[in-house]
Amino acid sequence: MHVRDPAVLRPLVILISGTGSNMQAIVRAAARGRWRERYGAAVAAVISNRPDAKGLAWAAQEGIATAVVDHTAYPSREAFDAALAAAIDQHDPQGRGLVVLAGFMRILTAGFVQRYEGRILNIHPSLLPAFPGLHTHRRAIEAGCRFAGATVHRVTAELDHGEYLEQAVVPILPGDTPETLAARVLTQEHLIYPRAIERLLAAACAAEG
Ligand SMILES: Nc1nc2c(c(=O)[nH]1)N[C@@H](CN(C=O)c1ccc(C(=O)N[C@@H](CCC(=O)O)C(=O)O)cc1)CN2
Ligand SMILES: NCC(=O)N[C@@H]1O[C@H](COP(=O)([O-])[O-])[C@@H](O)[C@H]1O
């Protein structure tokens, strides 16, 4: 007898700009952790602002819906964000899911952030509040830091400023380059991002059923 898949009440729409290794870690964690059965959650789509994002092909091979909203095709941030929101809403028409930034490299407007009222997550490759913005690993090394890491946080209009949900710390080793440090941090990112998402899903289920 075919058992109907449980309804997806909480779609996860993942935004990427490149490799999408965090997206892949989330997809794997969702399957391994049976998020659909346990929380009514599933990765509904992977959307990129860059047509050449390698993560799109991986997601498509997994049978996940993909889309490109190319930021270079729009005259303003507001126009891009409006097109991005329309693409997201196709996969979460009830607005009950999460928008998961995973290596997504565009600053979102305040209007976009307000539209998703606290349902946008991001992973940032530093121990916030240290080193918001770009080139975090080079900056940490140049600052002589002994530790680096990553932060999962809620997205606000202010860059890399929202509530922290998870953090991971790694040592900066003698001779580290931005590339060697990035690889060490990325390993931890792949652990804390799925963990943060699952905690939010479990809490939402407990609160809403
Ligand atoms: N409103 C917000 N938007 C975004 C946030 C946020 O916290 N609030 N997080 C970022 C992710 N991010 C760091 O974690 C980040 C991404 C991109 C940039 C940036 O300067 N982008 C440039 C373009 C860079 C490029 O295309 O390579 C830009 O948008 O002009 C800074 C931080 C995602 N959005
Ligand atoms: N400011 C955003 C940012 O720098 N995000 C960073 O992009 C890298 C690649 O992610 P990916 O392998 O998941 O595409 C990750 O280290 C992520 O923290």
Side-chain angles (χ1 to χ4, degrees):
M1 177 183 73
H2 176 70
V3 177
R4 181 184 299 277
D5 286 337
V8 177
L9 304 175
R10 297 177 182 89
L12 308 179
V13 179
I14 303 179
L15 308 188
I16 68 171
S17 295
T19 308
S21 71
N22 275 286
M23 172 271 293
Q24 297 178 32
I26 293 164
V27 168
R28 293 189 175 106
R32 192 171 54 245
R34 299 176 55 248
W35 291 1
R36 186 170 184 147
E37 296 83 351
R38 294 168 65 200
Y39 312 118
V43 177
V46 174
I47 301 173
S48 180
N49 64 302
R50 297 181 58 99
D52 60 349
K54 291 184 169 60
L56 290 168
W58 187 92
Q61 286 173 344
E62 290 294 310
I64 298 168
T66 61
V68 173
V69 182
D70 183 344
H71 68 275
T72 64
Y74 295 89
S76 68
R77 283 186 190 275
E78 289 72 17
F80 166 68
D81 281 9
L84 184 61
I88 292 167
D89 293 350
Q90 285 184 18
H91 298 283
D92 184 8
Q94 294 185 321
R96 293 192 58 182
L98 294 173
V99 178
V100 178
L101 310 188
F104 183 72
M105 299 305 289
R106 298 301 295 178
I107 296 173
L108 297 163
T109 60
F112 181 96
V113 173
Q114 188 176 16
R115 181 187 183 119
Y116 294 98
E117 79 260 356
R119 298 190 288 117
I120 314 174
L121 306 180
N122 181 52
I123 191 156
H124 179 75
S126 82
L127 291 173
L128 290 174
F131 308 117
L134 297 174
H135 312 300
T136 59
H137 301 311
R138 174 176 56 74
R139 292 157 61 197
I141 291 169
E142 289 176 352
C145 297
R146 294 180 57 221
F147 298 95
T151 305
V152 180
H153 65 93
R154 291 189 193 275
V155 167
T156 61
E158 186 176 354
L159 190 62
D160 301 330
H161 188 75
E163 173 197 359
Y164 303 162
L165 300 174
E166 288 276 354
Q167 284 194 309
V169 182
V170 302
I172 298 178
L173 302 175
D176 259 335
T177 65
E179 292 71 27
T180 58
L181 179 55
R184 190 173 309 121
V185 171
L186 199 57
T187 300
Q188 293 303 312
E189 292 183 33
H190 297 163
L191 299 176
I192 65 172
Y193 215 169
R195 185 184 305 151
I197 294 169
E198 184 163 11
R199 282 204 295 116
L200 288 180
L201 294 173
C205 269
E208 303 158 10

